[in-house]
Amino acid sequence: MNATTLGELIQSGYQSKSIKEEIRQNLIQKLKSGETTFSGIIGYEDSVIPDVERALLSKHNILLLGLRGQAKTRMARQMTELLDEYIPIVAGSDINDDPLNPISKYAQDLIAEKGNDTPIEWVHRSQRYAEKLATPDVSVADLIGDIDPIKAANLKLSFADERVLHYGIIPRSNRGIFVINELPDLQARIQVALFNILEEGDIQIRGFKLRLPLDILFVFTANPEDYTNRGSIVTPLKDRIESQILTHYPKTLEHALEITEQEADIAADVAEKVAVSDLIKRLIEQVAFEARNSEFVDKKSGVSARLTISARENAVSAAERRALINNESKTQVWIADLIGIIPSITGKVELVYEGEQEGPYQVAMNLLEKAIRTQFVQYFPNPEQLKKRRNTGKPSAQQKADENPYRAIIGWFDKGNQLTIPFHTKDEEKLQLLYAVDGLHALVKQFFPGANDMQTGLLMEFVLHGLAAYSSISKKIFETQIEFKDLFGSMLNIGSTHHDDDEELGFDDDEESM
């Protein structure tokens, strides 16, 4: 980096290498030393990352193919970490000319004029990355270049002179990484303009007899949905992209939790004030898994990891807002606070026709309810299996209790009792309401004896929501509160609650079993 002229660079023993060779050598060093090649990319360690590493070792251009929210662009951006920290260029060059192998007329003329005194500059690897989002209005001039009449007039040159050319973003990315996001959105005629660049490394601008052997690593991203809906990648272009790598969503809940933990933007002071239990975190992640398998959600569109990230932030904000209203210094995210994540779901799932008929709000509520149902059996016995397990003969009271640990809770509601919990209830008051339900505290302590008061309270609330999800009791969600009742009494009194019908937001679990 000490060299400031071409002569000094030559004396330093600097040797030129292509960007793909540069990346290959640096990747080899990282692999040998056991370093992480793509940091913060979770769940791809045994699938996508090895594929990308193989492609880079093979000096391939890459197409990352996958649904939205699968870290495709993030991986492309991290490839700059595989570049040398600094490289020399001819000072003033628009296309990062290598001083030892100049390709532009500007650099060639400058070196012919000044020889070893040609000034050079050093470019950091962070400046060797360019990205373009493919949109229908992208032109060949944007990507490759065009004649600049203003430059011609200022320099008093004819349009036949190469110096009147204005280079596009691709030539300006010479000796760097160039990424085109959402490649199928690029018009077919523009995609055709990339053929020569990918195969022969040269460009054509307005009929100029111009051959620039550009040195670029191309990375493209695409969504499989685009092949049929918005556009397609023309076959000859796909043929020129050597490696097509399929990305995917997190395969396990643990990976999904790690991603959300890493990405969610929770201020430190808020994190101190609002506790988020592992149960709440798992419920939020489960919503995304349920959405990806829902018959109401378009599977071709996918469900981005951004859903759970924004849902985590919204859940914490719902608890923070409640604490501010109640003037509480500390609180936790309760199950009821998860109503606050509905806006994070409705805007991030693409519905099929049946989902549109159901309505985005109702679909989001269904997904949340299914998440509760799925996670409930990870913490407590499955109520559905308990219903099926019936002994012949007349069992004793103790046998009944052993068979169904929820008997006391369901019995309390069967006696005509109901539990109404306003969304803005203070933590202390909420605990008192939950303790009023017979058998609820005893059940939680039976399975989680080490839980503290707040954890116990959350699990008690979870039991009620879980029993409602399994149609053992009834649950209705209103604008300001949640109401739990016995199942059959609620069925007999449909429409006769003390709330106005238009205030009811959710569904009645006895009417729509999950």
Side-chain angles (χ1 to χ4, degrees), residues 83-376:
L83 297 171
D84 291 344
E85 189 171 5
Y86 286 93
I87 61 165
I89 68 166
V90 175
S93 170
D94 288 335
I95 60 172
N96 299 329
D97 275 286
D98 181 351
L100 302 182
N101 295 292
I103 60 174
S104 74
K105 184 170 177 56
Y106 164 82
Q108 291 169 350
D109 289 349
L110 187 64
I111 291 173
E113 178 189 341
K114 298 197 174 182
N116 284 346
D117 292 329
T118 303
I120 65 169
E121 297 172 346
W122 293 85
V123 177
H124 190 258
R125 59 187 167 207
S126 61
Q127 297 174 278
R128 297 171 63 195
Y129 176 90
E131 185 178 300
K132 183 68 176 174
L133 176 62
T135 56
D137 63 333
V138 172
S139 67
V140 173
D142 295 331
L143 293 179
I144 300 176
D146 206 344
I147 292 172
D148 186 346
I150 297 175
K151 184 187 284 188
N154 289 340
L155 298 177
K156 297 181 180 178
L157 299 171
S158 76
F159 285 173
D161 194 310
E162 188 181 318
R163 287 173 291 176
V164 304
L165 293 178
H166 173 80
Y167 293 114
I169 190 170
I170 291 178
R172 289 172 182 274
S173 303
N174 185 40
R175 301 176 73 203
I177 298 169
F178 182 64
V179 177
I180 296 183
N181 281 319
E182 307 300 339
L183 180 59
D185 281 347
L186 203 63
Q187 292 183 51
R189 64 185 180 83
I190 311 299
Q191 292 184 37
V192 169
L194 299 176
F195 289 179
N196 268 26
I197 298 173
L198 285 172
E199 193 65 23
E200 287 82 21
D202 61 17
I203 63 171
Q204 297 173 9
I205 301 176
R206 291 286 183 183
F208 268 86
K209 290 181 179 179
L210 182 70
R211 188 177 190 281
L212 293 180
L214 297 175
D215 180 24
I216 300 172
L217 170 66
F218 284 93
V219 181
F220 305 96
T221 73
N223 187 320
E225 174 199 16
D226 296 339
Y227 286 151
T228 54
N229 284 7
R230 293 203 300 267
S232 63
I233 302 175
V234 297
T235 305
L237 181 58
K238 278 196 287 183
D239 184 54
R240 284 166 165 80
I241 303 171
E242 296 95 337
S243 286
Q244 175 177 289
I245 297 169
L246 302 179
T247 59
H248 57 79
Y249 287 121
K251 295 180 179 178
T252 66
L253 204 68
E254 280 63 34
H255 282 155
L257 282 165
E258 282 185 66
I259 292 169
T260 304
E261 202 72 45
Q262 175 180 278
E263 301 299 324
D265 185 13
I266 311 292
D269 59 325
V270 177
E272 280 185 28
K273 183 177 183 177
V274 181
V276 187
S277 70
D278 186 64
L279 167 59
I280 292 294
K281 293 175 182 177
R282 287 177 178 274
L283 283 173
I284 290 172
E285 298 303 330
Q286 190 65 46
V287 168
F289 278 81
E290 298 295 342
R292 288 169 193 145
N293 293 315
S294 173
E295 67 275 18
F296 295 133
V297 176
D298 187 356
K299 291 179 176 58
K300 292 185 298 180
S301 178
V303 178
S304 167
R306 287 181 280 267
L307 184 151
T308 51
I309 296 165
S310 58
R312 173 82 72 87
E313 293 165 353
N314 258 350
V316 171
S317 295
E320 182 189 16
R321 179 177 180 273
R322 173 174 43 75
L324 292 169
I325 290 170
N326 292 329
N327 201 25
E328 293 176 302
S329 59
K330 284 187 180 295
T331 188
Q332 69 175 358
V333 179
W334 293 86
I335 305 293
D337 292 320
L338 295 183
I339 298 298
I341 75 172
I342 298 300
S344 297
I345 304 172
T346 53
K348 298 210 168 34
V349 292
E350 203 77 34
L351 303 181
V352 296
Y353 176 76
E354 292 81 2
E356 295 289 354
Q357 296 297 105
E358 190 83 359
Y361 177 85
Q362 193 63 43
V363 169
M365 291 296 295
N366 289 345
L367 293 174
L368 179 55
E369 202 68 16
K370 282 186 176 182
I372 291 171
R373 181 183 170 92
T374 302
Q375 283 296 311
F376 186 69

Side-chain angles (χ1 to χ4, degrees), residues 20 23-24 51-63 79 198 216-219 240-245:
K20 291 178 181 177
I23 288 175
R24 174 183 159 80
D51 282 343
V52 171
E53 289 172 347
R54 284 188 282 268
L56 294 175
L57 288 172
S58 300
K59 303 182 184 179
H60 284 178
N61 294 311
I62 297 171
L63 169 61
M79 289 180 193
L198 285 172
I216 300 172
L217 170 66
F218 284 93
V219 181
R240 284 166 165 80
I241 303 171
E242 296 95 337
S243 286
Q244 175 177 289
I245 297 169

